[in-house]
Amino acid sequence: TSPKQPIVVHSPAICASTLMMVYSHDYGYIGCAFLSSVLCGVLLRNVLKIQGGLLNEMELVNGGGGAATVDESFNSAKYCDFKTRALQYSTLRLPFELYGGYVLALVSLYFNTFLDGFDALPMFVYLVVANVSLAVLTCAGFWMLWKAERKFYGVGVALVLYLAGVAIELHTPTQPIYNEFSDNAILTTQIVAGVATLILMTLLGIRVMKSMIKSNLFNCVEVLGGGDRSVVSDGEEEISTDYVHA
């Protein structure tokens, strides 16, 4: 089974949900845009889940000593090629992870915008929901970087960019924001977004460094230096090529 299979199966649905999300937003149907973003997020989650299952199966095949195909060798636990693993991650998983993080942020954005359409609610409710949404995104990024079996670095990057964008935008808010919210409310949300950005960026940086250290990069350097370390003997500890395991 090729890792491209989930891409072929889910790509049309992801494209359709994205178009629904964009056009619903453009025409003012925020509720429909919110539901479309949720659907798109579920589809992206399924793609990443299937990809993770396929990679696990390939690693089990190679670990058992069976004959490996080209795709299976790409993930073999007996090879130490950092460039190959980086290429695999950047082409297979990273695009979906980045878009998944972006869609997750859009779910929060559309939910807040949809809630804003109910004029009967007190102003502090919108403020509380907005700040809680930022906190939830930060917690989601923490879970995907530290608690998930495979670490979703791309999702973390996308969420950091979104949170940083919120903090920067509120530094010079647009006129509609000025008209609806007080200066204290805007400043509070800006501070929350800034703190969330700093926290998640720190967690992402630590996670990346920890994963690189545990990827036995020193063995890869030895290979580049001319040593024959492409295959590890049975008595030695196998080099982990799972770029997303820690």
Side-chain angles (χ1 to χ4, degrees):
T1 304
S2 172
K4 298 179 180 179
Q5 182 178 357
I7 302 176
V8 174
V9 173
H10 289 79
S11 288
I14 292 174
C15 292
S17 60
T18 300
L19 290 175
M20 290 175 57
M21 181 172 58
V22 171
Y23 280 104
S24 298
H25 176 267
D26 290 344
Y27 286 98
Y29 299 106
I30 303 301
C32 184
F34 169 70
L35 294 177
S36 300
S37 64
V38 172
L39 174 61
C40 188
V42 171
L43 292 171
L44 289 167
R45 173 187 174 276
N46 290 340
V47 169
L48 292 172
K49 184 177 180 181
I50 295 174
Q51 286 178 343
L54 290 173
L55 293 177
N56 285 336
E57 291 178 3
M58 293 173 185
E59 291 163 0
L60 287 175
V61 169
N62 295 327
T69 65
V70 175
D71 285 340
E72 292 168 346
S73 297
F74 214 47
N75 299 276
S76 175
K78 295 184 178 181
Y79 290 85
C80 184
D81 189 342
F82 179 76
K83 290 184 178 180
T84 298
R85 287 180 284 134
L87 177 63
Q88 176 192 23
Y89 175 69
S90 62
T91 56
L92 178 61
R93 293 180 62 86
L94 183 59
F96 291 98
E97 290 184 9
L98 287 172
Y99 191 47
Y102 173 70
V103 170
L104 182 60
L106 286 181
V107 171
S108 172
L109 175 63
Y110 288 142
F111 177 75
N112 281 272
T113 306
F114 178 74
L115 191 66
D116 189 52
F118 296 94
D119 298 331
L121 294 176
M123 190 58 62
F124 79 90
V125 173
Y126 303 124
L127 179 63
V128 170
V129 172
N131 290 302
V132 169
S133 299
L134 296 176
V136 169
L137 290 178
T138 305
C139 293
F142 167 76
W143 184 86
M144 293 181 181
L145 289 171
W146 288 89
K147 297 300 182 180
E149 181 180 0
R150 288 185 178 270
K151 313 308 176 187
F152 299 97
Y153 301 103
V155 176
V157 171
L159 292 178
V160 166
L161 293 176
Y162 172 78
L163 294 171
V166 172
I168 293 172
E169 181 181 2
L170 292 180
H171 181 68
T172 54
T174 59
Q175 192 61 42
I177 295 178
Y178 265 129
N179 294 339
E180 290 192 33
F181 300 97
S182 65
D183 292 341
N184 289 334
I186 295 174
L187 179 61
T188 299
T189 305
Q190 182 187 12
I191 293 174
V192 172
V195 172
T197 302
L198 182 61
I199 292 175
L200 195 55
M201 185 182 299
T202 303
L203 292 172
L204 176 62
I206 295 174
R207 178 76 267 175
V208 170
M209 289 188 293
K210 183 177 179 181
S211 297
M212 292 180 66
I213 292 173
K214 299 191 78 170
S215 293
N216 293 317
L217 295 184
F218 292 109
N219 291 327
C220 296
V221 173
E222 184 177 346
V223 172
L224 295 176
D228 186 10
R229 296 281 299 182
S230 60
V231 179
V232 181
S233 62
D234 293 337
E236 295 178 321
E237 180 182 358
E238 290 187 344
I239 300 172
S240 173
T241 60
D242 188 355
Y243 48 82
V244 286
H245 275 304

